[in-house]
Short mmCIF file of all heavy atoms in Angstrom, two decimals:
data_model
loop_
_atom_site.label_atom_id
_atom_site.label_comp_id
_atom_site.label_asym_id
_atom_site.label_seq_id
_atom_site.Cartn_x
_atom_site.Cartn_y
_atom_site.Cartn_z
N LYS M 77 43.25 5.56 22.94
CA LYS M 77 43.41 4.73 24.14
C LYS M 77 43.46 3.25 23.77
O LYS M 77 44.24 2.49 24.34
CB LYS M 77 42.24 5.00 25.09
CG LYS M 77 42.43 4.43 26.45
CD LYS M 77 41.33 4.92 27.39
CE LYS M 77 41.59 4.42 28.80
NZ LYS M 77 40.60 4.93 29.75
N ARG M 78 42.64 2.85 22.79
CA ARG M 78 42.65 1.45 22.34
C ARG M 78 44.01 1.08 21.75
O ARG M 78 44.56 0.01 22.03
CB ARG M 78 41.55 1.25 21.30
CG ARG M 78 41.51 -0.16 20.76
CD ARG M 78 40.38 -0.30 19.77
NE ARG M 78 40.42 -1.60 19.14
CZ ARG M 78 40.15 -1.80 17.88
NH1 ARG M 78 39.78 -0.80 17.12
NH2 ARG M 78 40.20 -3.00 17.37
N ALA M 79 44.56 1.97 20.93
CA ALA M 79 45.88 1.70 20.32
C ALA M 79 46.95 1.58 21.41
O ALA M 79 47.82 0.71 21.34
CB ALA M 79 46.24 2.81 19.35
N GLU M 80 46.87 2.44 22.43
CA GLU M 80 47.83 2.37 23.52
C GLU M 80 47.70 1.04 24.27
O GLU M 80 48.71 0.40 24.60
CB GLU M 80 47.61 3.54 24.49
CG GLU M 80 47.99 4.89 23.93
CD GLU M 80 47.54 6.05 24.81
OE1 GLU M 80 46.96 5.80 25.90
OE2 GLU M 80 47.76 7.20 24.41
N LYS M 81 46.46 0.62 24.54
CA LYS M 81 46.24 -0.64 25.26
C LYS M 81 46.69 -1.85 24.43
O LYS M 81 47.23 -2.81 24.98
CB LYS M 81 44.77 -0.79 25.65
CG LYS M 81 44.27 0.23 26.65
CD LYS M 81 44.96 0.05 27.99
CE LYS M 81 44.44 1.05 28.99
NZ LYS M 81 45.11 0.98 30.27
N GLN M 82 46.48 -1.79 23.11
CA GLN M 82 46.93 -2.88 22.25
C GLN M 82 48.45 -2.97 22.25
O GLN M 82 49.02 -4.07 22.28
CB GLN M 82 46.41 -2.70 20.82
CG GLN M 82 44.93 -3.02 20.68
CD GLN M 82 44.41 -2.76 19.28
OE1 GLN M 82 44.93 -1.92 18.54
NE2 GLN M 82 43.35 -3.48 18.92
N ALA M 83 49.11 -1.83 22.22
CA ALA M 83 50.58 -1.83 22.27
C ALA M 83 51.06 -2.37 23.62
O ALA M 83 52.01 -3.16 23.68
CB ALA M 83 51.12 -0.41 22.04
N GLU M 84 50.38 -1.97 24.68
CA GLU M 84 50.74 -2.47 26.01
C GLU M 84 50.53 -3.98 26.09
O GLU M 84 51.37 -4.71 26.62
CB GLU M 84 49.87 -1.76 27.05
CG GLU M 84 50.20 -2.10 28.48
CD GLU M 84 49.31 -1.35 29.47
OE1 GLU M 84 48.66 -0.36 29.09
OE2 GLU M 84 49.28 -1.78 30.63
N LEU M 85 49.41 -4.47 25.53
CA LEU M 85 49.13 -5.91 25.52
C LEU M 85 50.19 -6.67 24.72
O LEU M 85 50.65 -7.73 25.15
CB LEU M 85 47.74 -6.18 24.94
CG LEU M 85 47.31 -7.64 24.82
CD1 LEU M 85 47.26 -8.30 26.19
CD2 LEU M 85 45.98 -7.75 24.10
N ALA M 86 50.58 -6.12 23.58
CA ALA M 86 51.60 -6.79 22.77
C ALA M 86 52.91 -6.90 23.54
O ALA M 86 53.58 -7.94 23.51
CB ALA M 86 51.81 -6.04 21.46
N GLY M 87 53.28 -5.86 24.26
CA GLY M 87 54.50 -5.89 25.07
C GLY M 87 54.41 -6.92 26.18
O GLY M 87 55.37 -7.65 26.45
N ILE M 88 53.27 -6.98 26.82
CA ILE M 88 53.08 -7.95 27.90
C ILE M 88 53.11 -9.38 27.36
O ILE M 88 53.72 -10.27 27.96
CB ILE M 88 51.76 -7.66 28.66
CG1 ILE M 88 51.90 -6.36 29.45
CG2 ILE M 88 51.39 -8.81 29.58
CD1 ILE M 88 50.61 -5.85 30.06
#
Side-chain angles (χ1 to χ4, degrees):
K77 192 171 185 177
R78 179 178 173 219
E80 290 170 3
K81 294 294 181 183
Q82 285 177 333
E84 184 179 344
L85 178 62
I88 290 171

